[in-house]
Amino acid sequence: GGQLLRSLRGHRRRLVATAFGGHGQLLVTASGDGMIKLWDFSAGACVLSLETELERLTSAALSEDGSLFAVACAAGLAQVWSLCGGRGGRQPVFDRLQRWRREGACSVAVSPDGCTIAMNGSDGVASIWEASSGRLLRDLVGHAGPVNSAVYSPDGSMVITASSDRSVIIWAASTGERLQILQGGCRGTGVLKSA
């Protein structure tokens, strides 16, 4: 069995997403009421608490360098915050990423260097966005079914997507080139957490 390392309290509603970043020192948590908290994991202390207007949060991500974090909701919207400068260190980088409204759960991933964001939904497409401007860089088109999750490789050079079509596709993050397709996964290939 495992050992309890830390119990973090502070959310009033159930948690819907968590993500580590900042070289394992930071944790972002998101609850059903739109409350987002950033934790110093080693100290067990909440260092930032804010509320988003996004409803039905489904995903949270934190860059490995700890420079920014993002949340996404079932309506296909994402919101990203910089942890550097601004009002008390929490200035929104941009309000929303909205390529199109997507039905179903949407997930978001932050590249290890915090420069790009991958976002997907039930339309079969994953998108890569520039974190500093919110500009769409490229769409990753290739799945025949909803894209359930996307993750960056540890060095940020690849994005790996998993779909309900039972495929996993590995993409070059910088170009969107399809590098490899893995077919025949479990029915409803779902959530990827790390590459």
Side-chain angles (χ1 to χ4, degrees):
Q3 178 183 349
L4 177 66
L5 297 178
R6 183 85 51 216
S7 180
L8 305 173
R9 300 191 186 279
H11 284 281
R12 291 183 300 249
R13 299 277 173 93
R14 76 178 178 93
L15 291 177
V16 295
T18 61
F20 268 109
H23 306 290
Q25 298 302 306
L26 298 173
L27 175 72
V28 64
T29 57
S31 61
D33 59 359
M35 184 61 66
I36 302 161
K37 293 186 179 288
L38 185 69
W39 305 84
D40 176 329
F41 187 73
S42 61
C46 179
V47 295
L48 176 66
S49 184
L50 55 92
E51 197 167 349
T52 178
E53 74 279 357
L54 300 182
E55 296 178 0
R56 296 184 311 148
L57 295 177
T58 57
S59 177
L62 181 60
S63 64
E64 187 56 35
D65 67 1
S67 64
L68 60 84
F69 66 95
V71 294
C73 71
L77 302 173
Q79 198 165 38
V80 180
W81 284 270
S82 168
L83 296 174
C84 305
R87 298 166 295 181
R90 53 182 179 203
Q91 175 182 344
V93 175
F94 48 87
D95 284 339
R96 298 177 183 183
L97 291 176
Q98 183 180 358
R99 174 84 164 108
W100 47 137
R101 285 189 179 271
R102 303 175 193 153
E103 293 300 319
C106 178
S107 74
V108 64
V110 178
S111 64
D113 63 4
C115 291
T116 59
I117 308 288
M119 183 177 163
N120 55 277
S122 62
D123 57 1
V125 176
S127 302
I128 297 179
W129 306 80
E130 184 176 61
S132 62
S133 68
R135 181 174 61 98
L136 176 66
L137 298 176
R138 64 197 53 83
D139 285 330
L140 306 177
V141 180
H143 288 289
V147 180
N148 300 318
S149 60
V151 296
Y152 282 89
S153 61
D155 66 0
S157 67
M158 296 176 285
V159 173
I160 299 94
T161 55
S163 171
S164 295
D165 68 6
R166 299 176 53 184
S167 71
V168 172
I169 300 180
I170 302 170
W171 312 84
S174 61
T175 64
E177 176 187 357
R178 217 176 321 175
L179 301 175
Q180 189 172 4
I181 301 173
L182 307 172
Q183 294 284 354
C186 299
R187 182 174 202 96
T189 298
V191 179
L192 294 170
K193 279 306 199 188
S194 63

